[in-house]
Amino acid sequence: MSTILVVEDEPTLQQTLAHNLKKDGYKVYTAGDGEAALDLIRQHQPDLVVLDIMLPRLDGLTVCRLVRKDADIRHTPIIMLTARGTAGDKMVGLDSGADDYITKPFDLGEFMARVRAVLRRAPGQSTHMQMLESSDIRLDVTARRAFRGTEELHLSSKEFDLLAELMRNRGSVLSRDLILSRVWGYDYYGDSRTVDVHIRWLRQKIEEDPSNPRHIITVRGIGYRFEA
Ligand code: CA
């Protein structure tokens, strides 16, 4: 049974989300502010955090950044909630290390689909040990740790999944749609720009010169290839 923490200060929405998640068999914790959320994440290490951005005491973006900096909990998948829906807000949410992003008001069915998609990719569910290596990049898929040479890379959960997918298929071109369906899930509602944004962040973390990448190559009009 997966454990989900719902962080939302609006009582009706918090209860609605918690109720529907429980109905689907998840174990649910709730928090109404950012500080309480951080305490609960450290205490219970939930499989997923649903995190509102506008929160009392500590806002959701700060909570997300603090989670990503804490070695014990940094792989916790996070779905951000926000009232606004401009592209700029979306970038802010993803840039802070969130795995996915939902704009209020949202459809409950869509919300549950996103939850399932993120959990499907969550750490701890892989049953076989796996190591992916290509030149100086090394991924320990079981421990979900990434290295360039001896240096550990700090990747978000989605960045890790994306890099693993590219490395598993190294030498082959993967289209944006294929990447979206494999890394974000078939029921993901986002567009292929999401892939481009994550590729850009990944390059900043794994490439010596992100403007002249030698690992993740853009194949014009199609998608991306991890250079073997
Ligand atoms: Ca709020």
Side-chain angles (χ1 to χ4, degrees), residues 7-10 32 52-56 81 104:
V7 188
E8 169 60 65
D9 58 323
E10 209 271 288
D52 188 28
I53 289 188
M54 301 293 281
L55 289 170
L81 305 179
K104 295 179 193 172

Side-chain angles (χ1 to χ4, degrees), residues 41-214:
I41 296 168
R42 291 191 172 120
Q43 195 182 335
H44 298 291
Q45 309 212 341
D47 300 304
L48 170 67
V49 178
V50 176
L51 184 60
D52 188 28
I53 289 188
M54 301 293 281
L55 289 170
R57 297 168 83 90
L58 211 56
D59 68 87
L61 293 173
T62 306
V63 171
C64 189
R65 289 193 187 102
L66 291 172
V67 166
R68 293 292 176 247
K69 279 185 194 156
D70 185 327
D72 293 331
I73 52 174
R74 69 161 177 257
H75 296 306
T76 309
I78 294 175
I79 297 179
M80 287 273 196
L81 305 179
T82 186
R84 296 158 302 169
T86 67
D89 290 328
K90 183 156 189 167
M91 293 309 113
V92 168
L94 292 172
D95 198 23
S96 67
D99 295 274
D100 201 354
Y101 190 96
I102 302 182
T103 304
K104 295 179 193 172
F106 50 81
D107 173 73
L108 210 51
E110 180 189 346
F111 171 77
M112 299 302 287
R114 299 277 194 98
V115 165
R116 286 191 298 273
V118 171
L119 282 174
R120 235 190 344 259
R121 284 286 165 176
Q125 297 189 341
S126 159
T127 50
H128 57 291
M129 176 128 123
Q130 213 182 344
M131 199 69 134
L132 293 169
E133 272 186 273
S134 193
S135 65
D136 58 340
I137 306 289
R138 196 158 48 87
L139 290 193
D140 180 338
V141 176
T142 309
R144 293 184 68 82
R145 296 176 73 183
F147 301 87
R148 189 176 70 180
T150 53
E151 175 204 1
E152 179 154 17
L153 302 168
H154 299 288
L155 306 182
S156 75
S157 175
K158 269 289 175 280
E159 287 165 357
F160 187 93
D161 291 337
L162 175 57
L163 183 56
E165 190 61 34
L166 288 166
M167 287 181 72
R168 273 188 205 106
N169 297 282
R170 66 189 142 235
S172 314
V173 189
L174 299 181
S175 72
R176 289 176 177 79
D177 285 344
L178 188 69
I179 292 172
L180 260 186
S181 69
R182 287 191 183 164
V183 177
W184 276 264
Y186 283 102
D187 39 12
Y188 184 72
Y189 286 75
D191 60 56
S192 57
R193 228 174 92 72
T194 306
V195 176
D196 299 335
V197 170
H198 279 78
I199 291 282
R200 196 161 71 231
W201 295 334
L202 254 186
R203 279 176 172 157
Q204 276 160 15
K205 292 180 180 179
I206 74 167
E207 301 283 358
E208 236 148 78
D209 177 5
S211 62
N212 181 26
R214 64 184 189 91

